Short mmCIF file of all heavy atoms in Angstrom, two decimals:
data_model
loop_
_atom_site.label_atom_id
_atom_site.label_comp_id
_atom_site.label_asym_id
_atom_site.label_seq_id
_atom_site.Cartn_x
_atom_site.Cartn_y
_atom_site.Cartn_z
N MET A 1 133.35 138.04 38.83
CA MET A 1 131.97 137.71 38.46
C MET A 1 131.22 138.96 38.03
O MET A 1 131.55 140.06 38.44
CB MET A 1 131.23 137.11 39.68
CG MET A 1 131.35 135.61 39.80
SD MET A 1 130.50 134.73 38.52
CE MET A 1 129.67 133.48 39.48
N GLY A 2 130.21 138.77 37.23
CA GLY A 2 129.34 139.89 36.94
C GLY A 2 129.59 140.51 35.59
O GLY A 2 129.88 139.82 34.62
N ARG A 3 129.46 141.81 35.53
CA ARG A 3 129.53 142.52 34.27
C ARG A 3 130.90 142.43 33.63
O ARG A 3 131.92 142.41 34.33
CB ARG A 3 129.20 143.99 34.48
CG ARG A 3 127.73 144.24 34.59
CD ARG A 3 127.48 145.60 35.18
NE ARG A 3 126.05 145.77 35.39
CZ ARG A 3 125.24 146.30 34.47
NH1 ARG A 3 125.72 146.72 33.32
NH2 ARG A 3 123.96 146.41 34.69
N ILE A 4 130.90 142.42 32.33
CA ILE A 4 132.15 142.37 31.61
C ILE A 4 132.14 143.43 30.52
O ILE A 4 131.09 143.95 30.17
CB ILE A 4 132.41 140.98 30.99
CG1 ILE A 4 131.20 140.57 30.14
CG2 ILE A 4 132.68 139.96 32.05
CD1 ILE A 4 131.57 139.53 29.12
N LYS A 5 133.31 143.67 30.00
CA LYS A 5 133.43 144.67 28.94
C LYS A 5 132.72 144.21 27.68
O LYS A 5 132.66 143.02 27.39
CB LYS A 5 134.91 144.90 28.63
CG LYS A 5 135.52 145.98 29.49
CD LYS A 5 136.91 146.28 28.99
CE LYS A 5 137.95 145.65 29.92
NZ LYS A 5 139.27 145.61 29.34
N LYS A 6 132.21 145.15 26.95
CA LYS A 6 131.57 144.80 25.68
C LYS A 6 132.62 144.39 24.65
O LYS A 6 133.75 144.83 24.72
CB LYS A 6 130.78 145.99 25.15
CG LYS A 6 129.39 146.05 25.74
CD LYS A 6 128.53 147.04 24.99
CE LYS A 6 127.09 146.98 25.52
NZ LYS A 6 126.27 148.02 24.90
N GLY A 7 132.19 143.53 23.73
CA GLY A 7 133.09 143.15 22.67
C GLY A 7 133.90 141.91 22.96
O GLY A 7 134.70 141.50 22.14
N ILE A 8 133.70 141.33 24.13
CA ILE A 8 134.40 140.08 24.44
C ILE A 8 133.57 138.91 23.96
O ILE A 8 132.36 138.88 24.16
CB ILE A 8 134.67 139.97 25.96
CG1 ILE A 8 135.65 141.06 26.37
CG2 ILE A 8 135.20 138.60 26.32
CD1 ILE A 8 135.96 141.08 27.85
N GLN A 9 134.25 137.98 23.31
CA GLN A 9 133.54 136.84 22.77
C GLN A 9 133.53 135.69 23.76
O GLN A 9 134.39 135.59 24.61
CB GLN A 9 134.22 136.37 21.48
CG GLN A 9 133.78 137.18 20.27
CD GLN A 9 134.30 136.57 18.99
OE1 GLN A 9 135.03 135.59 19.01
NE2 GLN A 9 133.93 137.15 17.87
N CYS A 10 132.53 134.84 23.58
CA CYS A 10 132.40 133.62 24.36
C CYS A 10 133.69 132.79 24.21
O CYS A 10 134.25 132.69 23.13
CB CYS A 10 131.19 132.84 23.83
SG CYS A 10 130.86 131.31 24.67
N SER A 11 134.13 132.21 25.32
CA SER A 11 135.38 131.44 25.30
C SER A 11 135.22 130.03 24.76
O SER A 11 136.20 129.33 24.58
CB SER A 11 135.95 131.33 26.72
OG SER A 11 136.09 132.60 27.30
N VAL A 12 133.98 129.61 24.55
CA VAL A 12 133.77 128.26 24.05
C VAL A 12 134.23 128.17 22.60
O VAL A 12 133.92 129.04 21.79
CB VAL A 12 132.28 127.86 24.16
CG1 VAL A 12 132.03 126.47 23.56
CG2 VAL A 12 131.83 127.90 25.60
N LYS A 13 134.97 127.09 22.33
CA LYS A 13 135.51 126.92 20.99
C LYS A 13 134.39 126.80 19.98
O LYS A 13 133.43 126.08 20.18
CB LYS A 13 136.38 125.65 20.94
CG LYS A 13 137.83 125.96 20.71
CD LYS A 13 138.66 124.71 20.64
CE LYS A 13 140.10 125.11 20.89
NZ LYS A 13 140.98 123.96 21.04
N GLY A 14 134.51 127.53 18.89
CA GLY A 14 133.53 127.47 17.83
C GLY A 14 132.34 128.37 18.05
O GLY A 14 131.46 128.47 17.21
N CYS A 15 132.28 129.04 19.20
CA CYS A 15 131.16 129.94 19.50
C CYS A 15 131.66 131.38 19.34
O CYS A 15 132.66 131.75 19.94
CB CYS A 15 130.67 129.70 20.92
SG CYS A 15 129.32 130.79 21.39
N ASP A 16 130.96 132.16 18.52
CA ASP A 16 131.43 133.53 18.33
C ASP A 16 130.40 134.55 18.79
O ASP A 16 130.39 135.68 18.35
CB ASP A 16 131.80 133.77 16.86
CG ASP A 16 130.68 133.40 15.92
OD1 ASP A 16 129.58 133.09 16.41
OD2 ASP A 16 130.89 133.44 14.70
N ARG A 17 129.52 134.12 19.69
CA ARG A 17 128.56 135.06 20.25
C ARG A 17 129.24 135.92 21.31
O ARG A 17 130.24 135.51 21.90
CB ARG A 17 127.38 134.30 20.87
CG ARG A 17 126.42 133.75 19.85
CD ARG A 17 125.28 133.03 20.54
NE ARG A 17 125.77 131.78 21.10
CZ ARG A 17 125.31 130.58 20.72
NH1 ARG A 17 124.37 130.48 19.83
NH2 ARG A 17 125.80 129.49 21.26
N PRO A 18 128.70 137.10 21.53
CA PRO A 18 129.30 137.96 22.55
C PRO A 18 129.08 137.40 23.95
O PRO A 18 128.03 136.84 24.25
CB PRO A 18 128.56 139.30 22.38
CG PRO A 18 127.29 138.95 21.68
CD PRO A 18 127.59 137.75 20.82
N ALA A 19 130.08 137.51 24.78
CA ALA A 19 129.99 137.01 26.15
C ALA A 19 129.15 137.96 27.00
O ALA A 19 129.21 139.17 26.83
CB ALA A 19 131.38 136.86 26.74
N ILE A 20 128.36 137.39 27.89
CA ILE A 20 127.58 138.22 28.81
C ILE A 20 128.06 138.07 30.25
O ILE A 20 127.76 138.89 31.10
CB ILE A 20 126.06 137.89 28.75
CG1 ILE A 20 125.82 136.42 29.07
CG2 ILE A 20 125.47 138.26 27.40
CD1 ILE A 20 124.48 136.18 29.73
N ARG A 21 128.77 136.99 30.51
CA ARG A 21 129.25 136.75 31.87
C ARG A 21 130.66 136.19 31.84
O ARG A 21 131.04 135.52 30.90
CB ARG A 21 128.35 135.71 32.59
CG ARG A 21 127.01 136.25 33.01
CD ARG A 21 127.19 137.33 34.04
NE ARG A 21 125.92 137.99 34.30
CZ ARG A 21 125.18 137.76 35.38
NH1 ARG A 21 125.57 136.91 36.28
NH2 ARG A 21 124.05 138.40 35.54
N SER A 22 131.39 136.46 32.89
CA SER A 22 132.67 135.80 33.05
C SER A 22 132.65 135.05 34.36
O SER A 22 132.12 135.52 35.36
CB SER A 22 133.80 136.82 33.01
OG SER A 22 133.96 137.43 34.27
N ILE A 23 133.21 133.87 34.32
CA ILE A 23 133.34 133.07 35.54
C ILE A 23 134.79 132.65 35.65
O ILE A 23 135.54 132.75 34.69
CB ILE A 23 132.42 131.82 35.50
CG1 ILE A 23 132.76 130.95 34.29
CG2 ILE A 23 130.95 132.24 35.47
CD1 ILE A 23 132.03 129.62 34.29
N SER A 24 135.18 132.17 36.82
CA SER A 24 136.56 131.74 36.97
C SER A 24 136.72 130.36 36.32
O SER A 24 135.77 129.59 36.24
CB SER A 24 136.96 131.69 38.43
OG SER A 24 136.35 130.61 39.07
N TYR A 25 137.92 130.07 35.91
CA TYR A 25 138.17 128.79 35.28
C TYR A 25 137.87 127.65 36.25
O TYR A 25 137.37 126.60 35.87
CB TYR A 25 139.62 128.70 34.80
CG TYR A 25 139.87 127.43 34.01
CD1 TYR A 25 139.45 127.34 32.69
CD2 TYR A 25 140.45 126.34 34.61
CE1 TYR A 25 139.62 126.18 31.98
CE2 TYR A 25 140.63 125.16 33.90
CZ TYR A 25 140.21 125.08 32.59
OH TYR A 25 140.37 123.93 31.90
N VAL A 26 138.13 127.88 37.52
CA VAL A 26 137.85 126.87 38.55
C VAL A 26 136.36 126.55 38.60
O VAL A 26 135.96 125.38 38.60
CB VAL A 26 138.35 127.35 39.93
CG1 VAL A 26 137.97 126.37 41.03
CG2 VAL A 26 139.86 127.56 39.91
N ASP A 27 135.54 127.60 38.59
CA ASP A 27 134.09 127.39 38.59
C ASP A 27 133.66 126.62 37.37
O ASP A 27 132.80 125.76 37.43
CB ASP A 27 133.36 128.74 38.62
CG ASP A 27 133.38 129.34 40.01
OD1 ASP A 27 133.69 128.61 40.98
OD2 ASP A 27 133.09 130.54 40.13
N PHE A 28 134.28 126.98 36.25
CA PHE A 28 133.93 126.31 35.00
C PHE A 28 134.26 124.83 35.07
O PHE A 28 133.43 123.98 34.73
CB PHE A 28 134.66 126.95 33.82
CG PHE A 28 134.35 126.28 32.52
CD1 PHE A 28 133.20 126.59 31.83
CD2 PHE A 28 135.21 125.33 32.00
CE1 PHE A 28 132.90 125.96 30.62
CE2 PHE A 28 134.93 124.68 30.80
CZ PHE A 28 133.77 125.01 30.12
N SER A 29 135.43 124.49 35.55
CA SER A 29 135.79 123.07 35.56
C SER A 29 135.00 122.32 36.63
O SER A 29 134.71 121.15 36.47
CB SER A 29 137.30 122.87 35.74
OG SER A 29 137.79 123.70 36.72
N ASN A 30 134.62 123.01 37.71
CA ASN A 30 133.79 122.37 38.72
C ASN A 30 132.41 122.02 38.19
O ASN A 30 131.77 121.09 38.68
CB ASN A 30 133.64 123.29 39.94
CG ASN A 30 134.88 123.26 40.80
OD1 ASN A 30 135.72 122.37 40.69
ND2 ASN A 30 134.99 124.25 41.67
N SER A 31 131.95 122.77 37.21
CA SER A 31 130.62 122.54 36.67
C SER A 31 130.59 121.29 35.80
O SER A 31 129.52 120.83 35.44
CB SER A 31 130.15 123.74 35.86
OG SER A 31 130.81 123.77 34.62
N LYS A 32 131.75 120.75 35.45
CA LYS A 32 131.87 119.52 34.67
C LYS A 32 131.22 119.64 33.29
O LYS A 32 130.72 118.67 32.75
CB LYS A 32 131.23 118.32 35.41
CG LYS A 32 131.82 118.05 36.77
CD LYS A 32 133.11 117.22 36.67
CE LYS A 32 133.54 116.68 38.03
NZ LYS A 32 133.94 117.76 38.95
N LEU A 33 131.17 120.85 32.76
CA LEU A 33 130.63 121.04 31.42
C LEU A 33 131.59 120.43 30.41
O LEU A 33 132.80 120.62 30.51
CB LEU A 33 130.47 122.53 31.12
CG LEU A 33 129.16 123.19 31.53
CD1 LEU A 33 129.23 124.67 31.26
CD2 LEU A 33 127.99 122.58 30.78
N SER A 34 131.02 119.73 29.44
CA SER A 34 131.87 119.11 28.43
C SER A 34 132.04 120.06 27.25
O SER A 34 131.74 119.72 26.12
CB SER A 34 131.28 117.78 27.99
OG SER A 34 129.96 117.97 27.56
N LEU A 35 132.46 121.28 27.55
CA LEU A 35 132.68 122.27 26.50
C LEU A 35 134.17 122.54 26.39
O LEU A 35 134.87 122.61 27.39
CB LEU A 35 131.96 123.57 26.84
CG LEU A 35 130.43 123.54 26.88
CD1 LEU A 35 129.90 124.84 27.45
CD2 LEU A 35 129.87 123.32 25.48
N GLU A 36 134.59 122.68 25.16
CA GLU A 36 135.99 123.01 24.95
C GLU A 36 136.13 124.52 24.93
O GLU A 36 135.41 125.21 24.21
CB GLU A 36 136.45 122.44 23.62
CG GLU A 36 137.70 121.61 23.73
CD GLU A 36 138.20 121.19 22.37
OE1 GLU A 36 137.44 120.51 21.67
OE2 GLU A 36 139.33 121.56 22.02
N ILE A 37 137.01 125.05 25.74
CA ILE A 37 137.16 126.49 25.75
C ILE A 37 138.56 126.90 25.32
O ILE A 37 139.53 126.17 25.49
CB ILE A 37 136.86 127.09 27.15
CG1 ILE A 37 137.76 126.43 28.21
CG2 ILE A 37 135.41 126.95 27.51
CD1 ILE A 37 138.03 127.35 29.36
N GLU A 38 138.61 128.08 24.76
CA GLU A 38 139.90 128.66 24.40
C GLU A 38 140.53 129.17 25.69
O GLU A 38 139.87 129.82 26.49
CB GLU A 38 139.70 129.83 23.44
CG GLU A 38 138.72 129.54 22.33
CD GLU A 38 139.42 129.33 21.01
OE1 GLU A 38 140.66 129.22 21.01
OE2 GLU A 38 138.73 129.28 19.99
N SER A 39 141.77 128.90 25.85
CA SER A 39 142.44 129.29 27.09
C SER A 39 142.71 130.79 27.11
O SER A 39 143.37 131.33 26.23
CB SER A 39 143.74 128.50 27.22
OG SER A 39 144.50 129.03 28.26
N LEU A 40 142.16 131.46 28.09
CA LEU A 40 142.35 132.89 28.22
C LEU A 40 142.75 133.23 29.65
O LEU A 40 142.21 134.13 30.26
CB LEU A 40 141.05 133.63 27.88
CG LEU A 40 140.58 133.66 26.43
CD1 LEU A 40 139.15 134.18 26.37
CD2 LEU A 40 141.49 134.54 25.59
N GLY A 41 143.65 132.44 30.19
CA GLY A 41 144.03 132.67 31.58
C GLY A 41 143.04 132.02 32.51
O GLY A 41 142.51 130.97 32.20
N ASN A 42 142.75 132.68 33.62
CA ASN A 42 141.90 132.03 34.61
C ASN A 42 140.45 132.51 34.57
O ASN A 42 139.69 132.28 35.48
CB ASN A 42 142.47 132.18 36.02
CG ASN A 42 142.66 133.64 36.38
OD1 ASN A 42 142.43 134.52 35.54
ND2 ASN A 42 143.03 133.91 37.61
N ARG A 43 140.08 133.22 33.52
CA ARG A 43 138.69 133.61 33.36
C ARG A 43 138.09 132.87 32.17
O ARG A 43 138.77 132.60 31.19
CB ARG A 43 138.54 135.12 33.09
CG ARG A 43 139.15 136.02 34.12
CD ARG A 43 138.60 135.83 35.50
NE ARG A 43 137.19 136.21 35.61
CZ ARG A 43 136.45 135.95 36.69
NH1 ARG A 43 136.98 135.33 37.71
NH2 ARG A 43 135.20 136.33 36.74
N VAL A 44 136.81 132.56 32.29
CA VAL A 44 136.07 131.96 31.19
C VAL A 44 134.91 132.89 30.87
O VAL A 44 134.15 133.28 31.75
CB VAL A 44 135.55 130.56 31.56
CG1 VAL A 44 134.68 129.99 30.45
CG2 VAL A 44 136.71 129.63 31.85
N TYR A 45 134.79 133.27 29.61
CA TYR A 45 133.72 134.17 29.19
C TYR A 45 132.65 133.36 28.49
O TYR A 45 132.94 132.53 27.63
CB TYR A 45 134.26 135.26 28.27
CG TYR A 45 135.26 136.14 28.98
CD1 TYR A 45 136.62 135.89 28.88
CD2 TYR A 45 134.81 137.18 29.77
CE1 TYR A 45 137.54 136.67 29.56
CE2 TYR A 45 135.72 137.98 30.46
CZ TYR A 45 137.08 137.72 30.35
OH TYR A 45 137.98 138.49 31.03
N LEU A 46 131.41 133.59 28.89
CA LEU A 46 130.32 132.80 28.36
C LEU A 46 129.24 133.68 27.74
O LEU A 46 128.88 134.72 28.29
CB LEU A 46 129.69 131.95 29.47
CG LEU A 46 130.59 130.87 30.09
CD1 LEU A 46 129.87 130.22 31.26
CD2 LEU A 46 131.01 129.83 29.07
N CYS A 47 128.72 133.23 26.61
CA CYS A 47 127.58 133.92 26.00
C CYS A 47 126.32 133.48 26.71
O CYS A 47 126.34 132.62 27.59
CB CYS A 47 127.51 133.56 24.51
SG CYS A 47 127.11 131.84 24.22
N ARG A 48 125.20 134.06 26.31
CA ARG A 48 123.94 133.77 26.98
C ARG A 48 123.64 132.28 26.98
O ARG A 48 123.27 131.71 28.00
CB ARG A 48 122.82 134.53 26.27
CG ARG A 48 121.52 134.54 27.01
CD ARG A 48 120.42 135.04 26.11
NE ARG A 48 120.74 136.38 25.61
CZ ARG A 48 120.18 137.49 26.07
NH1 ARG A 48 119.25 137.41 26.98
NH2 ARG A 48 120.51 138.66 25.60
N GLU A 49 123.80 131.64 25.83
CA GLU A 49 123.46 130.23 25.71
C GLU A 49 124.36 129.35 26.57
O GLU A 49 123.90 128.45 27.26
CB GLU A 49 123.56 129.78 24.24
CG GLU A 49 122.48 130.35 23.35
CD GLU A 49 121.08 130.06 23.88
OE1 GLU A 49 120.77 128.89 24.13
OE2 GLU A 49 120.31 131.03 24.07
N HIS A 50 125.64 129.62 26.51
CA HIS A 50 126.56 128.79 27.27
C HIS A 50 126.49 129.09 28.76
O HIS A 50 126.75 128.20 29.58
CB HIS A 50 127.99 128.95 26.72
CG HIS A 50 128.17 128.22 25.42
ND1 HIS A 50 128.63 128.82 24.27
CD2 HIS A 50 127.90 126.93 25.11
CE1 HIS A 50 128.63 127.92 23.30
NE2 HIS A 50 128.20 126.78 23.78
N TYR A 51 126.14 130.31 29.09
CA TYR A 51 125.95 130.62 30.50
C TYR A 51 124.75 129.85 31.04
O TYR A 51 124.77 129.35 32.16
CB TYR A 51 125.76 132.13 30.69
CG TYR A 51 125.68 132.52 32.14
CD1 TYR A 51 126.80 132.35 32.98
CD2 TYR A 51 124.51 133.03 32.69
CE1 TYR A 51 126.73 132.70 34.31
CE2 TYR A 51 124.44 133.39 34.02
CZ TYR A 51 125.55 133.22 34.84
OH TYR A 51 125.48 133.55 36.16
N LYS A 52 123.72 129.74 30.20
CA LYS A 52 122.54 128.96 30.59
C LYS A 52 122.95 127.51 30.86
O LYS A 52 122.52 126.90 31.83
CB LYS A 52 121.51 129.02 29.46
CG LYS A 52 120.09 129.32 29.92
CD LYS A 52 119.11 129.08 28.81
CE LYS A 52 118.87 130.31 27.97
NZ LYS A 52 118.03 130.02 26.78
N GLU A 53 123.76 126.98 29.97
CA GLU A 53 124.22 125.60 30.13
C GLU A 53 125.03 125.45 31.42
O GLU A 53 124.91 124.46 32.14
CB GLU A 53 125.09 125.17 28.95
CG GLU A 53 124.27 124.68 27.78
CD GLU A 53 125.16 124.12 26.69
OE1 GLU A 53 126.03 123.29 27.00
OE2 GLU A 53 125.00 124.53 25.52
N TYR A 54 125.84 126.46 31.67
CA TYR A 54 126.66 126.44 32.88
C TYR A 54 125.78 126.45 34.12
O TYR A 54 125.99 125.68 35.06
CB TYR A 54 127.61 127.64 32.87
CG TYR A 54 128.23 127.93 34.20
CD1 TYR A 54 129.26 127.14 34.70
CD2 TYR A 54 127.77 129.00 34.97
CE1 TYR A 54 129.81 127.40 35.93
CE2 TYR A 54 128.33 129.27 36.20
CZ TYR A 54 129.34 128.47 36.68
OH TYR A 54 129.87 128.73 37.91
N LYS A 55 124.76 127.31 34.11
CA LYS A 55 123.86 127.39 35.25
C LYS A 55 123.13 126.07 35.45
O LYS A 55 122.97 125.60 36.57
CB LYS A 55 122.82 128.50 35.03
CG LYS A 55 123.41 129.88 35.04
CD LYS A 55 123.59 130.40 36.46
CE LYS A 55 122.27 130.98 36.97
NZ LYS A 55 122.44 131.64 38.26
N LYS A 56 122.70 125.48 34.35
CA LYS A 56 122.00 124.20 34.42
C LYS A 56 122.91 123.15 35.04
O LYS A 56 122.51 122.37 35.90
CB LYS A 56 121.58 123.77 33.01
CG LYS A 56 120.13 123.28 32.95
CD LYS A 56 119.82 122.67 31.61
CE LYS A 56 119.42 123.70 30.58
NZ LYS A 56 119.27 123.14 29.22
N ALA A 57 124.15 123.13 34.60
CA ALA A 57 125.10 122.13 35.08
C ALA A 57 125.37 122.31 36.57
O ALA A 57 125.45 121.33 37.31
CB ALA A 57 126.40 122.23 34.29
N THR A 58 125.51 123.55 37.01
CA THR A 58 125.80 123.76 38.43
C THR A 58 124.59 123.45 39.28
O THR A 58 124.72 122.98 40.40
CB THR A 58 126.26 125.20 38.69
OG1 THR A 58 125.31 126.10 38.15
CG2 THR A 58 127.61 125.47 38.08
N LYS A 59 123.40 123.71 38.73
CA LYS A 59 122.18 123.40 39.48
C LYS A 59 122.10 121.90 39.71
O LYS A 59 121.78 121.44 40.79
CB LYS A 59 120.96 123.88 38.69
CG LYS A 59 119.78 124.23 39.58
CD LYS A 59 118.54 124.51 38.77
CE LYS A 59 118.38 125.98 38.45
NZ LYS A 59 117.22 126.22 37.57
N LYS A 60 122.42 121.15 38.66
CA LYS A 60 122.40 119.70 38.76
C LYS A 60 123.38 119.24 39.84
O LYS A 60 123.08 118.38 40.64
CB LYS A 60 122.78 119.10 37.40
CG LYS A 60 122.04 117.82 37.08
CD LYS A 60 122.55 117.18 35.80
CE LYS A 60 122.07 117.88 34.54
NZ LYS A 60 122.80 117.44 33.34
N LEU A 61 124.56 119.84 39.84
CA LEU A 61 125.57 119.46 40.82
C LEU A 61 125.08 119.71 42.23
O LEU A 61 125.28 118.91 43.13
CB LEU A 61 126.86 120.26 40.59
CG LEU A 61 127.76 119.79 39.45
CD1 LEU A 61 129.01 120.64 39.42
CD2 LEU A 61 128.14 118.33 39.64
N ARG A 62 124.44 120.86 42.42
CA ARG A 62 123.96 121.20 43.74
C ARG A 62 122.93 120.19 44.21
O ARG A 62 122.88 119.83 45.36
CB ARG A 62 123.38 122.62 43.74
CG ARG A 62 124.19 123.56 44.61
CD ARG A 62 123.69 124.97 44.52
NE ARG A 62 124.46 125.76 43.57
CZ ARG A 62 123.93 126.68 42.76
NH1 ARG A 62 122.65 126.92 42.79
NH2 ARG A 62 124.70 127.36 41.95
N LYS A 63 122.08 119.77 43.26
CA LYS A 63 121.06 118.80 43.59
C LYS A 63 121.71 117.49 44.03
O LYS A 63 121.33 116.89 45.02
CB LYS A 63 120.17 118.56 42.37
CG LYS A 63 118.75 118.13 42.74
CD LYS A 63 117.94 117.81 41.51
CE LYS A 63 116.94 118.91 41.19
NZ LYS A 63 116.23 118.67 39.92
N ILE A 64 122.72 117.08 43.31
CA ILE A 64 123.43 115.85 43.66
C ILE A 64 124.04 115.99 45.05
O ILE A 64 123.95 115.07 45.86
CB ILE A 64 124.53 115.55 42.61
CG1 ILE A 64 123.87 115.16 41.27
CG2 ILE A 64 125.43 114.41 43.08
CD1 ILE A 64 124.83 115.15 40.09
N ASP A 65 124.61 117.15 45.33
CA ASP A 65 125.18 117.39 46.65
C ASP A 65 124.12 117.23 47.73
O ASP A 65 124.36 116.61 48.75
CB ASP A 65 125.75 118.82 46.72
CG ASP A 65 127.22 118.83 46.32
OD1 ASP A 65 127.81 117.74 46.24
OD2 ASP A 65 127.75 119.92 46.10
N LYS A 66 122.95 117.80 47.45
CA LYS A 66 121.89 117.74 48.44
C LYS A 66 121.51 116.28 48.70
O LYS A 66 121.39 115.85 49.84
CB LYS A 66 120.67 118.52 47.91
CG LYS A 66 119.86 119.18 49.02
CD LYS A 66 118.47 119.54 48.54
CE LYS A 66 118.40 120.96 47.99
NZ LYS A 66 117.10 121.23 47.34
N TRP A 67 121.32 115.55 47.62
CA TRP A 67 120.94 114.14 47.78
C TRP A 67 121.96 113.40 48.63
O TRP A 67 121.62 112.53 49.41
CB TRP A 67 120.83 113.47 46.41
CG TRP A 67 119.52 113.77 45.74
CD1 TRP A 67 119.33 114.57 44.67
CD2 TRP A 67 118.23 113.29 46.10
NE1 TRP A 67 118.00 114.62 44.34
CE2 TRP A 67 117.31 113.85 45.19
CE3 TRP A 67 117.78 112.43 47.11
CZ2 TRP A 67 115.94 113.58 45.28
CZ3 TRP A 67 116.42 112.17 47.19
CH2 TRP A 67 115.53 112.74 46.28
N ARG A 68 123.20 113.73 48.38
CA ARG A 68 124.26 113.02 49.09
C ARG A 68 124.14 113.21 50.60
O ARG A 68 124.51 112.36 51.38
CB ARG A 68 125.62 113.53 48.59
CG ARG A 68 126.67 112.44 48.63
CD ARG A 68 128.03 113.03 48.39
NE ARG A 68 128.21 113.45 47.01
CZ ARG A 68 129.05 114.42 46.65
NH1 ARG A 68 129.77 115.06 47.54
NH2 ARG A 68 129.19 114.74 45.39
N TRP A 69 123.66 114.38 50.99
CA TRP A 69 123.64 114.70 52.41
C TRP A 69 122.32 114.40 53.08
O TRP A 69 122.21 114.47 54.30
CB TRP A 69 124.00 116.17 52.62
CG TRP A 69 125.42 116.44 52.22
CD1 TRP A 69 125.83 117.11 51.10
CD2 TRP A 69 126.61 116.04 52.88
NE1 TRP A 69 127.19 117.15 51.05
CE2 TRP A 69 127.69 116.51 52.11
CE3 TRP A 69 126.85 115.33 54.06
CZ2 TRP A 69 129.02 116.27 52.50
CZ3 TRP A 69 128.16 115.10 54.44
CH2 TRP A 69 129.22 115.57 53.66
N VAL A 70 121.32 114.07 52.30
CA VAL A 70 120.01 113.80 52.90
C VAL A 70 120.03 112.46 53.61
O VAL A 70 120.60 111.51 53.09
CB VAL A 70 118.90 113.83 51.82
CG1 VAL A 70 117.63 113.15 52.34
CG2 VAL A 70 118.60 115.25 51.43
ZN1 ZN B 101 129.01 130.57 23.65
#
């Protein structure tokens, strides 16, 4: 997690923006994002826009989890 090397592109197919974050593939699939990614092993690199989408998706999941337990 965290900082990544410069010059790495977003792993989302069709997106050629520079990646700002890397997450594990497991985290990515847990977020249930309907994005197609290029397979690069067990890391997923996300640009600012797609990272935002990822954060939004995980926030939603957390909310659902909370509801389930209330
Ligand atoms: Zn992207």
Side-chain angles (χ1 to χ4, degrees):
M1 271 292 225
R3 281 164 185 269
I4 53 158
K5 271 187 256 166
K6 275 192 174 175
I8 294 178
Q9 277 188 357
C10 181
S11 306
V12 177
K13 247 181 199 171
C15 179
D16 53 7
R17 284 181 288 242
I20 57 150
R21 286 296 171 103
S22 82
I23 59 172
S24 73
Y25 186 78
V26 175
D27 283 345
F28 179 82
S29 44
N30 282 344
S31 75
K32 302 277 193 293
L33 272 175
S34 54
L35 294 171
E36 232 186 301
I37 56 151
E38 314 254 11
S39 169
L40 290 168
N42 57 356
R43 303 301 294 171
V44 175
Y45 297 95
L46 295 175
C47 67
R48 191 192 302 256
E49 289 306 306
H50 285 126
Y51 185 65
K52 227 191 270 173
E53 276 187 49
Y54 165 75
K55 292 278 277 187
K56 226 189 275 173
T58 53
K59 208 188 267 176
K60 215 186 284 168
L61 281 183
R62 245 175 263 142
K63 208 184 255 175
I64 291 167
D65 268 348
K66 212 199 268 171
W67 280 108
R68 212 191 288 153
W69 294 107
V70 163

